[in-house]
Amino acid sequence: MKSRSEQLFARARERIPAGVNSPVRAFGAVGGSPPFFERASGAWLWDADGRRYIDYVGSWGPMVAGHTHPAVVEAVQAAASRALSFGAPTEAEVELAEAICRLVPSVEQLRLVSSGTEATMTAIRLARGHTGRSLIAKFEGCYHGHADSLLVKAGSGALTFGNPSSAGVPAEVASLTLVLNFNDLPQVEKLFQEKGKQIACVIVEPVAGNMNLVLPKPGFLESLRENCSRYGAVLIFDEVMTGFRVALGGAQARYGIRPDLTTLGKVIGGGLPVGAVGGRREIMQKIAPLGPVYQAGTLSGNPVAVAAGLATLKLVEEKDFQARIEKTTQSLVDGLNSEAKKAKIEFSAQSIGSMFGLYFRALPPTTFAEVMQCDKERFNRFFHAMLARGIYFAPSAYEAGFVSAAHGAPEIEATLAAARASFASL
Ligand code: KE4
């Protein structure tokens, strides 16, 4: 007898390609049929068959305060009862802009949009408009949403002019994107020596979370900052995932680097669609209608979404919020490392803020190539063994995990008990 989730998945595939509205949700990377969820509260999810799970995906980052936090639900209900959308300015958008600028000082002005993709697409266009240059640089394994110029993978050769990583992206577009190796300081230096004056921007996840979790090596982010300053290129920190997670002020606060532009998303919408691109006033003044770089959006700054974001930021700002969630995440990672060691499984886990990475590799990877050395098959078996025990990790060996403020000792202990049994089954 098929489960209700399996029945729903079959029905979904009739009218939605692969039955999902975002590829990773289809479980293609891990195999099997995805649970269809119906309800969430705190650290927990319930699927269409009434099974409950401890959630370590958190909607891929937004649910940092835990699911259906009363303060967030209340703010959304109050906003929705006044209006769902105006397509005109509201005070709430100003409050959210002021809150973000206060928490992320490098952001002097910002524009709200409806997704991380819109934020990074706009940041790239701003950088090109501001500098008058066309080349951009990104890093293999970093994901910045699905704008054409960012769906590019490393080509051949040293200074890899990009090749499309998706059908539908013209080679001409991809060729304007240089793809480098994350944490490869000599390659960054060489790129700038050879092409520095032609580069509009470098966009980077300051802590990479889309090739699993990979931390910046000492000096890497500093090298990007120095070279962008020296050659007049715009340094874009894509903090859609790291913002308010790696630290209250994002990775830029943790590592003490001031980017020229920052992109945000996820947490600033609290689960509703909000993104933002912001940074140096001089650059932000170039955006329409003030300046020549066009950008627009019907639902940008939507009052209901902004209400969820504002309520979430208020929670994130609370005293000890970051310290508590960081401690919980560390206890998860320490426990998993300890259980794997006892089971004599080649495994490592690490965390930063409330993000974590799990690797079937002796040590956490520091480069994309090392990520590719992880035992993906073993991860997939572990993923399903944990899912069967009610623990919902990201359905891919190449995604980071997320802890919320609603996760506590009971959830961590239950997770580690499930891990003990799952490691034994590998
Ligand atoms: P969205 O367009 O999905 O809101 O944001 C794109 C984006 C931009 N920058 C970073 C650093 C991101 O992590 C993302 C989106 N993250 C993925 C998780 N790997 C979203 C999940 C999905 O694609 O379904």
Side-chain angles (χ1 to χ4, degrees):
M1 171 72 173
K2 279 183 182 292
S3 71
R4 199 156 137 59
S5 282
E6 286 167 332
Q7 291 169 37
L8 284 168
F9 195 34
R11 199 173 121 205
R13 290 201 298 271
E14 285 304 304
R15 293 296 179 203
I16 304 171
V20 293
N21 287 308
S22 198
V24 68
R25 305 177 188 174
F27 271 32
V30 292
S33 179
F36 275 53
F37 292 114
E38 282 190 347
R39 186 167 69 85
S41 175
W44 296 84
L45 300 170
W46 284 263
D47 72 12
D49 296 280
R51 290 193 198 99
R52 73 172 193 161
Y53 305 81
I54 299 174
D55 180 19
Y56 288 105
V57 177
S59 183
W60 302 99
M63 308 322 293
V64 69
H67 286 287
T68 62
H69 189 291
V72 180
V73 173
E74 214 173 281
V76 165
Q77 287 171 333
S81 63
R82 290 193 297 275
L84 291 173
S85 182
F86 299 104
T90 62
E91 183 179 2
E93 293 161 79
V94 182
E95 281 181 280
L96 183 57
E98 289 168 343
I100 292 169
C101 292
R102 178 167 44 81
L103 293 169
V104 188
S106 73
V107 175
E108 295 169 343
Q109 280 203 325
L110 64 84
R111 171 63 55 85
L112 293 175
V113 294
S114 299
S115 70
T117 293
E118 275 189 88
T120 57
M121 177 174 72
T122 305
I124 299 286
R125 190 178 308 132
L126 265 172
R128 284 173 161 158
H130 175 64
T131 61
R133 302 174 184 177
S134 300
L135 288 187
I136 67 172
K138 74 175 289 288
F139 295 88
E140 183 87 84
C142 285
Y143 174 69
H144 304 288
H146 60 92
D148 279 0
S149 53
L150 293 165
L151 287 180
V152 175
K153 65 180 186 295
S156 56
L159 284 187
T160 61
F161 279 100
N163 293 331
S165 61
S166 162
V169 175
E172 297 83 347
V173 171
S175 69
L176 295 174
T177 302
L178 293 153
V179 183
L180 305 174
N181 303 317
F182 190 81
N183 274 334
D184 186 338
L185 281 78
Q187 193 190 33
V188 168
E189 297 295 337
K190 188 164 184 301
L191 166 77
F192 274 96
Q193 279 156 20
E194 295 191 6
K195 301 190 177 311
K197 286 282 181 209
Q198 301 165 54
I199 294 172
C201 64
V202 175
I203 184 166
V204 67
E205 290 181 62
V207 168
N210 286 285
M211 54 171 137
N212 209 320
L213 175 67
V214 178
L215 304 182
K217 277 182 183 163
F220 175 62
L221 298 176
E222 291 80 355
S223 163
L224 296 182
R225 178 62 284 170
E226 280 154 30
N227 279 291
C228 283
S229 301
R230 186 176 312 133
Y231 289 91
V234 174
L235 177 58
I236 302 170
F237 270 17
D238 178 357
E239 298 228 39
V240 167
M241 186 185 278
T242 54
F244 311 101
R245 266 208 176 270
V246 163
L248 182 56
Q252 56 194 272
R254 196 169 191 117
Y255 291 97
I257 303 280
R258 191 179 178 92
D260 301 304
L261 291 179
T262 297
T263 52
L264 295 164
K266 298 181 192 276
V267 167
I268 63 169
L272 271 66
V274 180
V277 49
R280 281 175 32 211
R281 184 179 295 273
E282 175 202 4
I283 302 176
M284 293 308 294
Q285 302 275 301
K286 300 282 175 65
I287 203 165
L290 261 187
V293 179
Y294 193 70
Q295 186 280 334
T298 302
L299 296 177
S300 297
N302 172 272
V304 181
V306 164
L310 271 170
T312 300
L313 286 189
K314 282 195 181 74
L315 294 165
V316 165
E317 262 200 277
E318 276 173 1
K319 190 172 169 321
D320 296 338
F321 182 96
Q322 290 292 339
R324 249 180 327 107
I325 197 170
E326 191 154 336
K327 189 162 167 285
T328 305
T329 311
Q330 192 60 56
S331 69
L332 170 71
V333 160
D334 293 345
L336 289 171
N337 279 321
S338 157
E339 292 301 338
K341 193 162 183 229
K342 281 187 270 182
K344 297 188 177 33
I345 298 278
E346 189 172 78
F347 171 89
S348 54
Q350 67 176 347
S351 68
I352 180 168
S354 53
M355 283 173 71
F356 63 89
L358 310 177
Y359 322 92
F360 282 88
R361 183 175 188 275
L363 291 173
T366 62
T367 64
F368 179 71
E370 288 180 0
V371 169
M372 291 301 123
Q373 292 165 359
C374 294
D375 185 337
K376 192 176 78 135
E377 298 320 314
R378 212 167 203 196
F379 169 83
N380 292 350
R381 291 199 301 278
F382 179 70
F383 170 83
H384 280 290
M386 292 295 272
L387 190 68
R389 292 177 173 85
I391 310 298
Y392 185 61
F393 283 134
S396 163
Y398 306 124
E399 295 284 356
F402 303 96
V403 169
S404 84
H407 288 74
E411 287 74 22
I412 301 305
E413 280 152 29
T415 305
L416 296 181
R420 191 172 310 126
S422 298
F423 281 130
S425 75
L426 290 185

